[in-house]
Structures are given as structure tokens and as C-alpha cells.
Amino acid sequence: MDQTSPRMNRLEPGADGVHPTFCRLCEAQCGLLATVENGRITHVGPDRDHVTSSGHLCVKGPAMRYVAYDPDRVLQPLKRIGGPGEFAPVTWDEALDDIAARVSEIVARDGADSLGVYFGNPAAFGFRHMAFASGFVRAFGSSKIFNPVHVDTGSKSLACALVYGPGGPYTFPDLETCDFLLIIGANPMISHMSLVSEPRALQKLEAVARRGGVVVVDPRRTETAERFEHVPVMPDSDAWLLSAMLKTISEEGLASEALLAERVEGWRELRDAVAAISLETAAARCGVAADAIRSLARRFAGARTAACYGRLGSCRGSFATLTNVLIEALNIVTGRFGEPGGWITGASPFRRGAPPRSVYQQFGTQQPYGEARSRIGGLPLLSGFQPGGTLADDILTPGEGQLKALFLDSGNPVLAYPGSRKIDEALSRLDLLVALDFYVNDSARHAHYVLPAPTFFERADLNDIFSVNTPRPWLQYTDAVIPPVGESRLELEIYNELLVRTGRKRLYPEADGNAEAAIERMMDKLLEDAPAGDAVGGLSVERLREEFPNGYRFAEAQDARGSWDRVMHPDGRPRLWGEIIAGEAQRLQAAASQPVDRRLKLFGRRKLRSFNSWMHNDMRIVRSDRPTLLMHPTDAMERQIASGGRVRVVSDHGEIEVEVEVSDSVVAGSVNYPHGWGHKGGWRVANSLPGRNVNELASPDPADWEQISGMCLIDGVPVEVTPLGAHLGAAAE
Ligand SMILES: Nc1nc2c(c(=O)[nH]1)N[C@H]1C(S)=C(S)[C@@H](COP(=O)(O)OP(=O)(O)OC[C@H]3O[C@@H](n4cnc5c(=O)[nH]c(N)nc54)[C@H](O)[C@@H]3O)O[C@H]1N2
Ligand SMILES: Nc1nc2c(c(=O)[nH]1)N[C@H]1C(S)=C(S)[C@@H](COP(=O)(O)OP(=O)(O)OC[C@H]3O[C@@H](n4cnc5c(=O)[nH]c(N)nc54)[C@H](O)[C@@H]3O)O[C@H]1N2
Ligand code: SF4
Ligand SMILES: [Mo]
């Protein structure tokens, strides 16, 4: 591979000129070229010389420049001086001294577990950022680490831990030579392939479709389903569909029986469990005809190469972990695991012969579960993380270990987790809330202090965790494009300053407290003796920076067959059965005879111009992005509801009033609304936009969640919808 890119000369952060860098919003990690003039970023465009994205990007990467210079951005430490959202600027020393004193006092009085951290999604996109946030509270002996895992990846990571053994990598599709891709609950055209780093996903999917097919199982005819093939399903029903597919595969002799006998544990038990499920029941539950299920199973099993890829839509239902186990099973049983063009894991670019540590699994226990259970709900901790949905009750429930002081690092739980009102209330009751963010978001308005953090343009990075789950693996280092804006400080620096002030050792004490230098040393350590550097005589930050500014492709493709060596069970055999899976399979079987809740099932969607809760504060970004409740014409007619009218959406847990859009893109019996709206933070544009917080409707009660993972039920929430005012009359005007 010729990767020389002599075009660029290295520039210092803030120097005028064109800086090659990469986007750190989503896993695609697209290459960007940022133009700096007079110290400010004036343009951000595609990096056509980038080794994987080759010029691909979406609107959000370039739009991050508007975030960096947003007039509502927090540029100095802020101290609360009144009610929620009332702040005054203070000096860093004032803020840090007071926070350190209060943390010390609270921990001394109420114990280590009275201190906690919630780190949000962006923490996964900065080098070691999650480890810094976790390391900070661990330095006090606290186990209170919260994050979005329980509304995102938790069930997938538990399924991978059950099937392949704890501590192993995530599975993903080898798009390069895949002939048939079955997508369960993902929308790559908008979200750009979660848990797979492939910036040119659309192009890759088009090639897969030309070779065989891309089939999208989704309750909405999404942008991806529209472009390829669509199998509409009811929300929260994939476990039925997948069980029925496996049953067909087993009954019709389409399973790779010899391979299963030789290399896999538990197929016999799983086969018997799916055999007990009637195809008719499954068909009725998921809304896909039995014949269609059978032909989908045959098509999957018969393709030359194939993979079944599930994402968010498969992760947050009432059988979230089982669904993900069944996705693994479908791949394994048809011989797709560890095959080029199939379902694979990635090799570590950094550790020789060792299994890679992948997204969210870089630290924490090496068991899917330890002995520990959450204080609220008695739920297991996935990779050592507290069930995120219990955050509010942990604050509100008195007793041993009650959460009193919280660091909110790049997160917005009020909009991210079910029970928004309760979370909002709980955050206002804390003895100490400190936010590390560049906005006063809807959660941070309750903070006692908001400490300004840099955007990704203002920090160096290495795409370390995203170099594993990718069919075309690459490494890229970037310098900061500009120095931190205003008085922003790196999160590591903030944590270290507080640790020193509370009489503790710094995290990563190298480089005498210079956070930037310490981070560069960590990167160098990771690259030292990295197998990824073998072809070029070794890697370092300096080499990546000078010689590979547009990224370094360290392998043409993944070693698919090596996936078998990365199975973490001591016997090297994936497991399709065990106590936990058996319990869930039994629960599914029992559900077959339970009545179906006939209410409409609410599920979510993402939009291209919107990123979770925080890119809504610039009209250039949010323009045309109007959140609406999608409802099928049949359901609308029944309720006398018309497009453009307002409706009340009521669940067992809350209600919101929103605008409706009648559309046959969603299945009858379901309604759809995006998350991340309904703002009341320190962002003026976002606050002025229509839209409500859909997480007021999902259940904040741990008893309602999937118990083995603690995943919240987000997709498939039963709701009633009623028109506000006379809709059909109004529409006829
Ligand atoms: N533009 C944009 N891109 C993003 C983000 C963003 O906010 N905006 N967020 C990023 C983040 S944090 C993540 S985790 C990834 C997520 O990436 P994806 O997993 O691709 O996320 P979504 O686009 O939400 O797609 C989930 C799909 O599941 C479907 N679905 C819902 N319920 C069910 C169900 O019960 N069964 C089935 N089969 N499908 C169901 C939904 O209709 C939706 O199309 O995207 C990332 N990329
Ligand atoms: N109903 C429903 N709820 C959902 C989802 C859904 O599909 N439906 N999706 C879930 C998913 S997948 C996720 S990941 C969560 C996201 O939930 P969270 O991670 O809790 O929240 P975000 O909306 O991502 O907010 C991120 C915050 O970090 C700040 N930020 C951005 N970059 C940085 C940085 O580099 N440093 C610092 N210090 N701060 C930064 C932003 O300003 C913003 O305030 O939402 C979840 N909630
Ligand atoms: S797809 Fe968009 S948001 Fe994702 S990395 Fe690329 S430019 Fe950034
Ligand atoms: Mo996410």
C-alpha cells in the first residue's frame, strides 16, 4: 500500500494553513481538512487523501466548527449563583479549590460511593477519556460509574461476553467480501454503522447489494431500508423473528452441523429451545409472515458469504440480550463466524497475540458480571458500570452508599435516560454536581460548577479503540487543530488538578502534570512494539504525525479466521447456551402464552443533522430537522388524527404533547419519535426549538427493564395517542 502523502507539512495547533485531522463524532472517524486563518478554523472539508474515508463525510463533521465558536459555548469556569442555569464566571483556581474541598468533605462524611461520575457518549471518542473519568472516582475508591451503556451497547456486550467469553472483542460484519447482509435495527445511511468503523459504509453496502442483497429488518422504512430491501417488523419482536429463522435453519438441514459439533458448545440446547417456538406465534408477534421468515432464513443460509448485523434497534427491547445472542447464533450456526465476508472480530493493532480490548471494554472487570449488584434494583454491573437507569434513584434514595456528588462529563442523562423528570429532580438535589462540558446542557443547568472542556478540534487524538472493529483497519493520529478555545482545559488536566488538591496522586503521573504530554506518552507506549507497525519498522506518535497525516492502513483486511483465536472461553469454543441464556429462552417461551399489549408501540429514530442531544444549537445544523411523531395512516384514521396536528402521547410513566406526521413508513401499531429534544439548558437556539423529551415516556423502574443486563426498555414502549383539538377538521381547512 502506498500511503505516502507528501502534500502536508505539519502545522502547530492554531497555525494558519490546512490541518489534516479526523472527525470524532461517530465511529466512521472520517478524515477532515481544517483550514485555519488568523488562528480560527474557517473551513472544514473532506480529506480526499484519507486512507479509508477517501473524502467521505457528513454534514456534522464540518458543522463542529459552529459548535467550537458557538456564542453559547462555555469558555470560563462557571459557578452557580442562583436557581438552575444561573451562573457567574469564576477563576479556575477558585472553582478547583472549592470543588476539591467539597469532594473531600462529602467522601469523608458519606463514604467513597457517595461520589460518582456519569460520562457520556463523547467520552468514547477521545483518547482514554472514559478511563480518565472512571479513574478519577476510582481514585477515591468509588464504584459509582454511570454512562449511556444501558441505553446503547450493554446487551450486545453481554451477549458477546456470554457467547465468546468475557473480555473479548465485539463481532461485526466483514463488509469487504460479504454477499448478503441482514441488518436488524440499524440505519447506517444516517448513523454511519455503529460498532463498525467504515466511513464508506454506503458504498460498501451498495457493493454487498450488487453481489447478493442487503435486507433491513426495521419497524420503519428507514433511509437504508428504502435504498435496499425492507422487512417491516413490530418493535421489540426480533427475538421471535430470529428464533423462527433458527428453527427453520435447523429443521431444513441448513445448519453447519459438522462445524457446530467440532467447534461450538450449546447448539443442541439452543436448537431444542427454538424448536419449541411455533412459527405461527413468532410470525404473529413480529408481524412477518411465516413464509417470509422461512425464505429469509433460506436466503441467509444459502448465500456464498453472509452476516447478520444488529445494532441499537436490537439492543433495547424486553429480550435485548437474548436477541443479541440469537444474532450471534444465526451467524455461528450458518458457518458465518470467522469467515471472510462473514461475521468476524478484529485483531488488536497494539497487542501481539493478545485479544484486543474493544470499545467500552478497555477497562472494568474481565467478567460480564462480578458479584457486585447495583444499590438500586439489585442489577448486575456490566464491565463494572452501574445500570445508568438507576442514577436518579441512587441520588434520591437515602441509605448507605447514597450518591451525593456527581461529575457529569460529556453527558446529558436528562435527555438520554428514561425517567427524565425524575433525573432532572434528582440532579437538583445533589450536594455537588460538576459538569465538564462546553455547553450548559439540560442536565448541567443544575450543576454547582460547569468546567469548560475543549471540542475535538482542540485536542490531540489517536483512533485507538476504533481501529479494532473495522473491516479495513487503520490508525490515525491528529494534533489539535487549534489550541483550547477560551479557558477550556482537557478533562485529564481537570481531574488531575482535583486529585492533587485532594491530596491524591495524579492519574498517569508521567510528564509532571502536563496532561497533553502525558497523553502523548500513553499513545507512544501503546504504539511501542505494536504489531500494526511491523510493516514499517515500528510506530510512534511522531511517525504517525509526520509520515501518515491522512491515516495509516496497517492491514489490507481483517484476519477473519483469526476470530476463532479471539474466542475467550478457555476451550476456544463459542457457547450458544448456559444458565443465563437458558433463563431468557424460557422467558421468551413463556411470553408466547401471555396476552399482547394492544397499545401502540413507541420506538426511536436518528436524523442526519442531529447528534443525540447536543447539536441543536445552531440553525445552520438543525435547519429542517423537525421532530415529529410518525404514525401509520390506519392508526391515524382510527383516532381522527391528521398530519401537522398536535397529539398527546401517554405511557404508564409520563406524557408529552407533540406534532404528528402521518406516514406509512412506520408499521401499523407503532409510533416513532426521535430522542434528544425538549431543551431547557443554557443553549438559546436549542431551547427555542419545538420537540419534546421522548424519554419521559419510558420506564425508570428497574423492575421493568431486562434484568440480566439492566438495559432500559426504550424501543417498544406501549403508549396511547390522542388528538389535541379537532384534527381532521383542522386539516380540511
Ligand atoms: N446522524 C446521527 N448519527 C449517529 C447518532 C446520531 O444521534 N445522529 N448517534 C450515534 C450513536 S450514539 C449511536 S449508538 C449510533 C447508533 O446507530 P444505529 O444503531 O444505526 O442507530 P439508529 O439510527 O437509531 O438505528 C436503529 C434502528 O433500529 C430501529 N428499531 C427500533 N426498534 C426496533 C426493533 O425493535 N427492532 C428492529 N429490528 N429495529 C428497531 C429504528 O427504527 C432504527 O432505524 O449512531 C451514531 N450515529
Ligand atoms: N429514547 C432514546 N434515548 C436514547 C437513545 C435513543 O436512541 N433513544 N440513544 C442513547 C444513546 S445510543 C446514547 S450514546 C445516549 C447519549 O447520551 P449522553 O452521552 O448522556 O448525552 P449526549 O446527548 O451525547 O450529550 C453529550 C454532551 O457532551 C458534550 N460534549 C461533546 N463533546 C465533548 C467533549 O469532547 N468533552 C466534553 N467534556 N463534553 C463534550 C456535549 O456538549 C453534550 O452536552 O443517548 C441515549 N438515549
Ligand atoms: S459520518 Fe459524519 S459524524 Fe460520523 S465521523 Fe464522518 S463526518 Fe463525523
Ligand atoms: Mo450511542
Side-chain angles (χ1 to χ4, degrees), residues 22-32 50 52-54 56-58 60 125 188 190-202 463 466 469-470 472 474 476 611:
F22 60 94
C23 179
R24 281 147 275 169
L25 288 173
C26 84
E27 276 121 304
Q29 309 268 290
C30 299
L32 302 176
H50 192 271
T52 47
S53 61
S54 322
H56 175 272
L57 44 66
C58 81
K60 295 184 294 303
F125 293 82
I190 298 298
S191 300
H192 297 104
M193 295 233 67
S194 179
L195 293 182
V196 189
S197 286
E198 174 46 83
R200 300 192 74 84
L202 176 57
N463 66 328
F466 302 105
N469 273 40
T470 165
R472 300 188 294 152
W474 82 99
Q476 185 169 11
F611 201 77

Side-chain angles (χ1 to χ4, degrees), residues 60 121 187 191 217-218 236 238 312-313 606-607 610 612:
K60 295 184 294 303
N121 163 277
N187 189 10
S191 300
V217 175
D218 201 299
D236 194 16
D238 304 279
L312 222 41
R606 284 178 155 66
K607 300 239 203 153
S610 186
N612 292 321

Side-chain angles (χ1 to χ4, degrees), residues 655-673:
E655 60 176 75
I656 55 175
E657 293 181 5
V658 295
E659 180 185 330
V660 78
E661 184 180 340
V662 177
S663 161
D664 67 1
S665 66
V666 292
V667 293
S670 75
V671 281
N672 174 288
Y673 197 82

Side-chain angles (χ1 to χ4, degrees), residues 24 117-137 145 147 360 362-363 385 407-411 435-438 451 453-456 459-462 464-466 489-495 507-508 519 522-523:
R24 281 147 275 169
V117 66
Y118 174 102
F119 64 76
N121 163 277
F125 293 82
F127 184 80
R128 295 287 156 88
H129 185 165
M130 299 187 288
F132 301 154
S134 306
F136 173 67
V137 295
I145 303 167
N147 55 36
Y360 300 121
Q362 289 200 97
F363 56 92
F385 302 139
F407 280 72
L408 197 56
D409 179 340
S410 58
L436 282 64
D437 207 302
F438 40 73
L451 304 178
T455 67
F456 68 64
R459 59 167 199 259
D461 257 311
L462 175 70
D464 65 333
I465 54 178
F466 302 105
R489 290 191 182 180
L490 286 176
E491 292 84 0
L492 176 62
E493 185 180 332
I494 299 173
Y495 290 129
L507 302 168
Y508 314 97
I519 287 173
M522 279 176 240
M523 292 176 180

Side-chain angles (χ1 to χ4, degrees), residues 406 637 664:
L406 182 68
M637 190 73 86
D664 67 1

